[in-house]
Amino acid sequence: MLRVTEIFRSIQGESTHAGRPCTFVRLTGCPMRCVWCDSEYTFTGGDHFSIDSIMALVNSFGCNLVEVTGGEPLAQKEAFTLIERLCSDGFEVLVETGNYVSTEGLDPRAKVILDIKCPASGEEPRNYWSNVERLRPDMDEVKFVIADEGDWNYAKSVIKEHKLETRSKAILISPVWGQIDLQALAEWIAGSGLNVRMQLQLHKYIWGPDVHGV
Ligand code: SF4
């Protein structure tokens, strides 16, 4: 059984898959406490679902693209089994993980979006760096959520130190909603010479920052 906060169909708001129809399986619980977290409603509650009942709901939505997210989806061990089942049933699977839990043992058909925590999140010391070594350049993406210039400078140093431009399919630079001047961030990115991609959370522009599950 897995503890699930919500399962819904929407469009993908982030990553290189932004704009595509996508079913989201949002698992409950997270061991992290990023200060700007926009998913605090996942920390507690949720309902218990068997993998079969999750698959039935996912199938009913009719989207080939499925994202397993949270909370921290990999904090529940059975999430690895769910991801394997989704892949085996022919879904294209994205796993958005906060880089605290090891991705070792994850089905290799799933695409990882690794959210490397920057200092302003308050959780940067808990980054699990071995996950970076498992990134595959044709499959996996890296995300940095940026709250201020210090975070941007940190992201740049991590990108260079860990050679993320060659190690990942895309490097996503995502501003904390409402906290950072978007034009300033765009200028930092444009002048950086780095092969990174500024991403805005499309779903928040469509439905607003406080609406989830659409
Ligand atoms: S890892 Fe994600 S869900 Fe967990 S506290 Fe940070 S932003 Fe929120």
Side-chain angles (χ1 to χ4, degrees), residues 99-135:
N99 199 28
Y100 172 69
V101 180
S102 173
T103 56
E104 194 172 9
L106 199 61
D107 191 299
R109 295 168 291 184
K111 298 170 180 172
V112 174
I113 300 165
L114 191 68
D115 183 356
I116 296 178
K117 297 303 176 192
C118 294
S121 72
E123 294 288 24
E124 178 261 329
R126 299 173 83 189
N127 277 311
Y128 191 80
W129 292 109
S130 299
N131 285 340
V132 170
E133 289 159 25
R134 275 186 283 278
L135 289 167

Side-chain angles (χ1 to χ4, degrees), residues 23-44:
T23 296
F24 291 83
V25 179
R26 192 183 298 284
L27 302 182
T28 306
C30 183
M32 310 269 263
R33 288 294 179 269
C34 303
V35 296
W36 38 252
C37 180
D38 61 0
S39 309
E40 289 171 313
Y41 62 94
T42 67
F43 291 170
T44 55

Side-chain angles (χ1 to χ4, degrees), residues 11-20 24 38 65 67 94 96 113 115 141 143 145 172 174 199-204:
I11 58 155
Q12 178 57 257
E14 304 190 45
S15 81
T16 62
H17 304 275
R20 296 180 60 193
F24 291 83
D38 61 0
L65 184 66
E67 176 167 307
L94 309 176
E96 169 118 15
I113 300 165
D115 183 356
E141 306 183 14
K143 176 167 109 173
V145 179
L172 313 164
S174 187
Q199 81 161 17
L200 304 178
Q201 293 170 294
L202 195 52
H203 49 289
K204 292 187 180 175

Side-chain angles (χ1 to χ4, degrees), residues 110-182:
K111 298 170 180 172
V112 174
I113 300 165
L114 191 68
D115 183 356
I116 296 178
K117 297 303 176 192
C118 294
S121 72
E123 294 288 24
E124 178 261 329
R126 299 173 83 189
N127 277 311
Y128 191 80
W129 292 109
S130 299
N131 285 340
V132 170
E133 289 159 25
R134 275 186 283 278
L135 289 167
R136 298 153 304 169
D138 55 335
M139 299 271 284
D140 300 329
E141 306 183 14
V142 176
K143 176 167 109 173
F144 293 91
V145 179
I146 305 293
D148 56 27
E149 192 168 9
D151 279 354
W152 168 240
N153 290 331
Y154 174 83
K156 284 192 294 184
S157 68
V158 170
I159 290 165
K160 286 178 183 153
E161 185 187 335
H162 293 274
K163 300 184 173 50
L164 295 183
E165 287 171 291
T166 52
R167 214 169 226 176
S168 62
K169 183 181 158 199
I171 301 168
L172 313 164
I173 305 294
S174 187
V176 175
W177 181 269
Q179 269 195 42
I180 185 166
D181 183 86
L182 296 181

